[in-house]
Amino acid sequence: MFFIYPVTVSAQTFPVDAATGKIYYAEEVLVKDGPQLELYHRAKAWFAPIGKVKIVIKVDDLPNGVLIGQTYSPFSFTSPGKKQTYHLGYTLKLEIEDDRYWYSLTDFWLEPVIPLQAHSAKQVIGQQPLEIAVLPQKEKPVPNKVLAEAVQKTILAFIQNLKESLD
């Protein structure tokens, strides 16, 4: 009986907080020979603006080893034969101790970016919670699988970059 209906697996790749229904990534990362102060300064350097993408630091608490910032990652993908560009925004919280840190990524939003004219400026047309675009909803029980995969790839690349910077 289970094989009669197709199953959408793309939504299952996102960790969802059971209490809030929101996408949430978190992990404790161990760092060999990583004193808190040194890890904090590495994290602070990592928070520096990257090109046009700015990270807005909301909390900078050196004594308690806490950094919280908001930013976005631009990404593109092709679906069906058309290149689409988005901004994927989120809040990053880092809690740092000697030889370890915890990160959490929360409050995700998605924003389509459309070109105004060929080779000209781009227009951002509004943010929506990421969950609406990549998790099944009553109005849209099967989310855009290509978009969900591109988002997942962007998030995992962001996490990998963070880990490499703090290692």
Side-chain angles (χ1 to χ4, degrees):
M1 189 84 167
F2 293 109
F3 299 107
I4 296 174
Y5 300 102
V7 177
T8 303
V9 236
S10 64
Q12 295 174 357
T13 61
F14 292 98
V16 176
D17 182 297
T20 65
K22 293 187 173 213
I23 296 171
Y24 179 85
Y25 287 78
E27 182 180 2
E28 177 183 10
V29 181
L30 301 176
V31 180
K32 185 177 181 181
D33 299 322
Q36 180 186 22
L37 187 60
E38 186 178 321
L39 284 174
Y40 189 87
H41 287 300
R42 282 188 223 161
K44 189 79 186 247
W46 183 86
F47 266 87
I50 306 164
K52 293 180 184 177
V53 177
K54 295 179 182 172
I55 298 177
V56 178
I57 296 179
K58 298 289 188 178
V59 175
D60 185 351
D61 184 355
L62 176 60
N64 293 309
V66 176
L67 281 168
I68 300 174
Q70 294 175 323
T71 190
Y72 71 90
S73 295
F75 72 98
S76 298
F77 66 97
T78 303
S79 172
K82 179 181 171 188
K83 184 177 179 180
Q84 298 182 35
T85 303
Y86 284 85
H87 291 163
L88 173 65
Y90 36 83
T91 298
L92 169 66
K93 179 179 182 181
L94 289 170
E95 299 174 76
I96 304 164
E97 292 183 359
D98 287 338
D99 301 325
R100 72 185 68 223
Y101 64 92
W102 293 263
Y103 72 82
S104 62
L105 292 171
T106 58
D107 304 321
F108 289 93
W109 52 264
L110 196 61
E111 185 172 57
V113 179
I114 57 170
L116 294 174
Q117 296 176 1
H119 306 294
S120 72
K122 294 187 176 189
Q123 175 185 6
V124 178
I125 59 175
Q127 297 176 1
Q128 70 175 356
L130 178 61
E131 293 79 11
I132 291 172
V134 298
L135 297 179
Q137 307 291 318
K138 280 185 179 180
E139 310 80 41
K140 194 169 134 186
V142 180
N144 181 332
K145 184 178 179 181
V146 178
L147 173 62
E149 288 172 356
V151 166
Q152 181 77 353
K153 183 178 177 183
T154 301
I155 293 169
L156 295 177
F158 177 84
I159 291 170
Q160 184 63 32
N161 179 273
L162 173 67
K163 288 178 176 181
E164 288 172 359
S165 297
L166 296 181
D167 190 18

PDB file of all heavy atoms in Angstrom, residues 52 83 85 87 113-124:
ATOM      1  N   LYS A  52      29.616  42.402  -1.082  1.00  0.00           N
ATOM      2  CA  LYS A  52      28.417  43.207  -0.869  1.00  0.00           C
ATOM      3  C   LYS A  52      27.553  42.658   0.268  1.00  0.00           C
ATOM      4  O   LYS A  52      26.648  43.325   0.743  1.00  0.00           O
ATOM      5  CB  LYS A  52      27.579  43.239  -2.145  1.00  0.00           C
ATOM      6  CG  LYS A  52      28.246  43.968  -3.289  1.00  0.00           C
ATOM      7  CD  LYS A  52      27.350  43.942  -4.511  1.00  0.00           C
ATOM      8  CE  LYS A  52      28.030  44.586  -5.687  1.00  0.00           C
ATOM      9  NZ  LYS A  52      27.225  44.526  -6.895  1.00  0.00           N
ATOM     10  N   LYS A  83      17.225  30.423 -15.263  1.00  0.00           N
ATOM     11  CA  LYS A  83      18.043  30.717 -14.096  1.00  0.00           C
ATOM     12  C   LYS A  83      17.252  31.603 -13.131  1.00  0.00           C
ATOM     13  O   LYS A  83      16.670  32.605 -13.537  1.00  0.00           O
ATOM     14  CB  LYS A  83      19.342  31.419 -14.496  1.00  0.00           C
ATOM     15  CG  LYS A  83      20.267  31.668 -13.323  1.00  0.00           C
ATOM     16  CD  LYS A  83      21.580  32.296 -13.767  1.00  0.00           C
ATOM     17  CE  LYS A  83      22.467  32.557 -12.559  1.00  0.00           C
ATOM     18  NZ  LYS A  83      23.726  33.160 -12.917  1.00  0.00           N
ATOM     19  N   THR A  85      17.454  33.544  -9.252  1.00  0.00           N
ATOM     20  CA  THR A  85      18.375  34.034  -8.225  1.00  0.00           C
ATOM     21  C   THR A  85      17.576  34.407  -6.982  1.00  0.00           C
ATOM     22  O   THR A  85      16.504  34.996  -7.081  1.00  0.00           O
ATOM     23  CB  THR A  85      19.147  35.263  -8.745  1.00  0.00           C
ATOM     24  OG1 THR A  85      19.831  34.898  -9.948  1.00  0.00           O
ATOM     25  CG2 THR A  85      20.159  35.751  -7.726  1.00  0.00           C
ATOM     26  N   HIS A  87      18.026  35.406  -2.474  1.00  0.00           N
ATOM     27  CA  HIS A  87      18.792  35.654  -1.256  1.00  0.00           C
ATOM     28  C   HIS A  87      18.201  34.733  -0.199  1.00  0.00           C
ATOM     29  O   HIS A  87      16.976  34.679  -0.041  1.00  0.00           O
ATOM     30  CB  HIS A  87      18.649  37.093  -0.779  1.00  0.00           C
ATOM     31  CG  HIS A  87      19.300  38.091  -1.673  1.00  0.00           C
ATOM     32  ND1 HIS A  87      19.007  39.433  -1.613  1.00  0.00           N
ATOM     33  CD2 HIS A  87      20.231  37.959  -2.651  1.00  0.00           C
ATOM     34  CE1 HIS A  87      19.722  40.088  -2.506  1.00  0.00           C
ATOM     35  NE2 HIS A  87      20.468  39.208  -3.158  1.00  0.00           N
ATOM     36  N   VAL A 113      15.169  37.460  -6.413  1.00  0.00           N
ATOM     37  CA  VAL A 113      15.809  38.640  -7.000  1.00  0.00           C
ATOM     38  C   VAL A 113      15.589  38.534  -8.504  1.00  0.00           C
ATOM     39  O   VAL A 113      15.952  37.538  -9.113  1.00  0.00           O
ATOM     40  CB  VAL A 113      17.327  38.675  -6.679  1.00  0.00           C
ATOM     41  CG1 VAL A 113      17.985  39.887  -7.307  1.00  0.00           C
ATOM     42  CG2 VAL A 113      17.568  38.635  -5.182  1.00  0.00           C
ATOM     43  N   ILE A 114      14.977  39.569  -9.074  1.00  0.00           N
ATOM     44  CA  ILE A 114      14.695  39.511 -10.508  1.00  0.00           C
ATOM     45  C   ILE A 114      15.397  40.659 -11.220  1.00  0.00           C
ATOM     46  O   ILE A 114      15.502  41.761 -10.686  1.00  0.00           O
ATOM     47  CB  ILE A 114      13.182  39.559 -10.802  1.00  0.00           C
ATOM     48  CG1 ILE A 114      12.540  40.815 -10.211  1.00  0.00           C
ATOM     49  CG2 ILE A 114      12.484  38.328 -10.277  1.00  0.00           C
ATOM     50  CD1 ILE A 114      11.126  41.052 -10.660  1.00  0.00           C
ATOM     51  N   PRO A 115      15.917  40.418 -12.441  1.00  0.00           N
ATOM     52  CA  PRO A 115      16.545  41.500 -13.201  1.00  0.00           C
ATOM     53  C   PRO A 115      15.492  42.481 -13.699  1.00  0.00           C
ATOM     54  O   PRO A 115      14.413  42.085 -14.113  1.00  0.00           O
ATOM     55  CB  PRO A 115      17.226  40.780 -14.359  1.00  0.00           C
ATOM     56  CG  PRO A 115      16.660  39.420 -14.402  1.00  0.00           C
ATOM     57  CD  PRO A 115      15.987  39.141 -13.098  1.00  0.00           C
ATOM     58  N   LEU A 116      15.801  43.765 -13.607  1.00  0.00           N
ATOM     59  CA  LEU A 116      14.886  44.792 -14.130  1.00  0.00           C
ATOM     60  C   LEU A 116      14.934  44.813 -15.652  1.00  0.00           C
ATOM     61  O   LEU A 116      13.931  44.880 -16.316  1.00  0.00           O
ATOM     62  CB  LEU A 116      15.238  46.164 -13.560  1.00  0.00           C
ATOM     63  CG  LEU A 116      15.037  46.329 -12.060  1.00  0.00           C
ATOM     64  CD1 LEU A 116      15.551  47.686 -11.604  1.00  0.00           C
ATOM     65  CD2 LEU A 116      13.572  46.182 -11.708  1.00  0.00           C
ATOM     66  N   GLN A 117      16.147  44.798 -16.195  1.00  0.00           N
ATOM     67  CA  GLN A 117      16.365  44.722 -17.630  1.00  0.00           C
ATOM     68  C   GLN A 117      17.658  43.946 -17.817  1.00  0.00           C
ATOM     69  O   GLN A 117      18.457  43.829 -16.907  1.00  0.00           O
ATOM     70  CB  GLN A 117      16.522  46.109 -18.240  1.00  0.00           C
ATOM     71  CG  GLN A 117      15.284  46.970 -18.116  1.00  0.00           C
ATOM     72  CD  GLN A 117      15.541  48.373 -18.644  1.00  0.00           C
ATOM     73  OE1 GLN A 117      16.620  48.700 -19.121  1.00  0.00           O
ATOM     74  NE2 GLN A 117      14.538  49.219 -18.553  1.00  0.00           N
ATOM     75  N   ALA A 118      17.863  43.432 -19.007  1.00  0.00           N
ATOM     76  CA  ALA A 118      19.094  42.688 -19.274  1.00  0.00           C
ATOM     77  C   ALA A 118      20.307  43.560 -18.961  1.00  0.00           C
ATOM     78  O   ALA A 118      20.347  44.727 -19.331  1.00  0.00           O
ATOM     79  CB  ALA A 118      19.125  42.240 -20.733  1.00  0.00           C
ATOM     80  N   HIS A 119      21.246  43.031 -18.236  1.00  0.00           N
ATOM     81  CA  HIS A 119      22.509  43.686 -17.882  1.00  0.00           C
ATOM     82  C   HIS A 119      22.306  44.970 -17.071  1.00  0.00           C
ATOM     83  O   HIS A 119      23.064  45.915 -17.211  1.00  0.00           O
ATOM     84  CB  HIS A 119      23.346  43.982 -19.126  1.00  0.00           C
ATOM     85  CG  HIS A 119      23.577  42.785 -19.972  1.00  0.00           C
ATOM     86  ND1 HIS A 119      24.315  41.714 -19.550  1.00  0.00           N
ATOM     87  CD2 HIS A 119      23.131  42.462 -21.200  1.00  0.00           C
ATOM     88  CE1 HIS A 119      24.326  40.788 -20.495  1.00  0.00           C
ATOM     89  NE2 HIS A 119      23.609  41.220 -21.511  1.00  0.00           N
ATOM     90  N   SER A 120      21.260  45.048 -16.276  1.00  0.00           N
ATOM     91  CA  SER A 120      21.059  46.238 -15.456  1.00  0.00           C
ATOM     92  C   SER A 120      20.870  45.834 -13.997  1.00  0.00           C
ATOM     93  O   SER A 120      21.175  44.713 -13.611  1.00  0.00           O
ATOM     94  CB  SER A 120      19.851  47.033 -15.950  1.00  0.00           C
ATOM     95  OG  SER A 120      18.657  46.346 -15.628  1.00  0.00           O
ATOM     96  N   ALA A 121      20.327  46.729 -13.238  1.00  0.00           N
ATOM     97  CA  ALA A 121      20.115  46.487 -11.812  1.00  0.00           C
ATOM     98  C   ALA A 121      19.130  45.345 -11.599  1.00  0.00           C
ATOM     99  O   ALA A 121      18.408  44.941 -12.504  1.00  0.00           O
ATOM    100  CB  ALA A 121      19.580  47.760 -11.162  1.00  0.00           C
ATOM    101  N   LYS A 122      19.111  44.851 -10.368  1.00  0.00           N
ATOM    102  CA  LYS A 122      18.175  43.791 -10.013  1.00  0.00           C
ATOM    103  C   LYS A 122      17.227  44.310  -8.959  1.00  0.00           C
ATOM    104  O   LYS A 122      17.572  45.168  -8.164  1.00  0.00           O
ATOM    105  CB  LYS A 122      18.926  42.565  -9.507  1.00  0.00           C
ATOM    106  CG  LYS A 122      19.766  41.919 -10.591  1.00  0.00           C
ATOM    107  CD  LYS A 122      20.359  40.632 -10.136  1.00  0.00           C
ATOM    108  CE  LYS A 122      21.107  40.005 -11.306  1.00  0.00           C
ATOM    109  NZ  LYS A 122      21.536  38.676 -11.037  1.00  0.00           N
ATOM    110  N   GLN A 123      16.037  43.771  -8.969  1.00  0.00           N
ATOM    111  CA  GLN A 123      15.026  44.174  -8.006  1.00  0.00           C
ATOM    112  C   GLN A 123      14.749  43.010  -7.059  1.00  0.00           C
ATOM    113  O   GLN A 123      14.572  41.876  -7.488  1.00  0.00           O
ATOM    114  CB  GLN A 123      13.733  44.550  -8.735  1.00  0.00           C
ATOM    115  CG  GLN A 123      12.595  44.870  -7.812  1.00  0.00           C
ATOM    116  CD  GLN A 123      11.301  45.128  -8.569  1.00  0.00           C
ATOM    117  OE1 GLN A 123      11.237  44.957  -9.776  1.00  0.00           O
ATOM    118  NE2 GLN A 123      10.289  45.522  -7.851  1.00  0.00           N
ATOM    119  N   VAL A 124      14.701  43.313  -5.773  1.00  0.00           N
ATOM    120  CA  VAL A 124      14.352  42.317  -4.774  1.00  0.00           C
ATOM    121  C   VAL A 124      12.860  42.467  -4.530  1.00  0.00           C
ATOM    122  O   VAL A 124      12.372  43.568  -4.300  1.00  0.00           O
ATOM    123  CB  VAL A 124      15.160  42.562  -3.483  1.00  0.00           C
ATOM    124  CG1 VAL A 124      14.781  41.578  -2.417  1.00  0.00           C
ATOM    125  CG2 VAL A 124      16.650  42.477  -3.782  1.00  0.00           C
TER     126      VAL A 124
END
